[in-house]
Every structure is written in structure tokens, then in C-alpha cells.
Amino acid sequence: MKTALSAVLLGTALFFSVPQSAMAQSLADSRQKIDALIETFRQAIINKDTAGFMQLFLREDITWTAVYSDGSVDRYNASLKDPKEPRGTKIQNSSPRKFIESIARAKETMAETFSNVRIDTDGDVAQVWFDYTFIAGDYKNNWGKESWQLVRTEAGWKIAAVVWSAEENPVPRVLPKGAN
């Protein structure tokens, strides 16, 4: 009787442990692939790689939304010289293509740093949440929190939405003479 019960318990333990260990490995693989996607995103900005950057997205028309701090909006609007100029707003929508093309046109080096990266996934969908800093040349342009929604496709992980907060640097940037 003891042997039969031991065999049943051992069989049950093996049945439940194999799928869980396989699931843990699958989630670890997903996290590695998502980490690689994050690094590819970062490198595409540095290298001004429009084609490589655009391959990271599910579609071109994903949600791409910034939420600017009240102070950032107020400073921008106070800096306007012409009252006919469009006023800055708290919520601004754009696209990944417009973002990377503006970086590719810039004469100076651009970079985005990531810290406190958190990834939550079930292996098919994921959320990535992190602190970021965007740097233009040697100027810390803006910073905040950023969130990505990802989906795992037949072609690998793709970014389906990007939403971030932005605090613009309150210290004005001083460009060297002749720079744009």
C-alpha cells in the first residue's frame, strides 16, 4: 500500500513539476528576448537606424503617447514669442516613425537610457515598465517613466503600444554657435 501511494505521489509531483519547470524556462526565454528587444531599441536610437527601429513594432500606427508634466507645458508655453504659435499641450501623440526619423535627421548623437526595468509576461503578452532619460548630445533633454505593451508574434516580440511621462529639463539648453 505504501509503495502504491508513493508511486502515485511521485507521479503526481512529476506531472506538475515538469510543466512548471518548462513554463519557468519559457518565461525566462521570453524575458531574455524582451531584454534583447529593449537593447535593439536603444542601439537603433544611437545608430539612427530607422529600418531596424521600425522592425520592433507590431504596426506603424501603434499608440505612441507622451504625457508632459504641467511644469514642462507651462515652461514651453511661456517661451513662445508669437501668440499665434501653437501652444504646448499635456498629451501629445505621434508615431515611432516620426520619432526615429527626427533622430536620424539630428546632427548630434541621441541616446535613451533605461533603468529599473521591470518585465511582466505570461509568454504571449508582456508589459515593460522603466525609468528613462533621453539625451541629446551631452544635454539631458527629458526623463520620466515609460511603458510598453508587447505581443509575441510568429516573428518574435513586437511593441504594440508606447506611453510615457516626460519632464523636460528646466535648465535651458545652450547650443554652440552654428548648431541648429
Side-chain angles (χ1 to χ4, degrees), residues 32-82:
Q32 276 187 320
K33 290 175 181 165
I34 292 167
D35 280 335
L37 182 136
I38 294 166
E39 180 60 15
T40 301
F41 184 100
R42 190 182 77 77
Q43 287 295 324
I45 291 171
I46 292 168
N47 296 325
K48 302 180 180 199
D49 179 5
T50 301
F53 187 80
M54 292 309 299
Q55 290 178 7
L56 301 174
F57 299 92
L58 183 62
R59 299 182 318 270
E60 283 206 29
D61 64 343
I62 68 163
T63 298
W64 188 268
T65 302
V67 181
Y68 285 86
S69 70
D70 293 338
S72 294
V73 173
D74 291 345
R75 283 188 300 275
Y76 175 81
N77 288 334
S79 73
L80 296 175
K81 306 281 188 248
D82 183 348

Side-chain angles (χ1 to χ4, degrees), residues 50-169:
T50 301
F53 187 80
M54 292 309 299
Q55 290 178 7
L56 301 174
F57 299 92
L58 183 62
R59 299 182 318 270
E60 283 206 29
D61 64 343
I62 68 163
T63 298
W64 188 268
T65 302
V67 181
Y68 285 86
S69 70
D70 293 338
S72 294
V73 173
D74 291 345
R75 283 188 300 275
Y76 175 81
N77 288 334
S79 73
L80 296 175
K81 306 281 188 248
D82 183 348
K84 294 178 186 170
E85 284 184 82
R87 297 185 57 75
T89 59
K90 187 162 185 65
I91 306 293
Q92 295 185 21
N93 296 298
S94 188
S95 72
R97 181 164 300 282
K98 288 180 184 175
F99 173 73
I100 194 64
E101 285 178 350
S102 71
I103 289 169
R105 284 190 307 270
K107 292 180 182 175
E108 64 195 338
T109 304
M110 303 284 192
E112 186 171 358
T113 64
F114 305 89
S115 60
N116 301 316
V117 177
R118 291 161 302 248
I119 299 169
D120 187 16
T121 185
D122 68 358
D124 290 315
V125 297
Q127 176 170 322
V128 179
W129 176 264
F130 52 87
D131 300 326
Y132 80 91
T133 301
F134 192 81
I135 301 163
D138 60 356
Y139 180 72
K140 184 177 170 182
N141 193 69
N142 60 289
W143 55 87
K145 304 279 186 189
E146 191 164 328
S147 173
W148 298 354
Q149 297 294 314
L150 287 83
V151 295
R152 189 175 58 84
T153 71
E154 292 82 3
W157 285 97
K158 300 292 181 179
I159 302 169
V162 177
V163 178
W164 70 99
S165 63
E167 177 68 37
E168 294 285 325
N169 194 336

Side-chain angles (χ1 to χ4, degrees), residues 10-22:
L10 178 61
T12 303
L14 288 173
F15 175 78
F16 285 110
S17 69
V18 170
Q20 286 187 355
S21 66

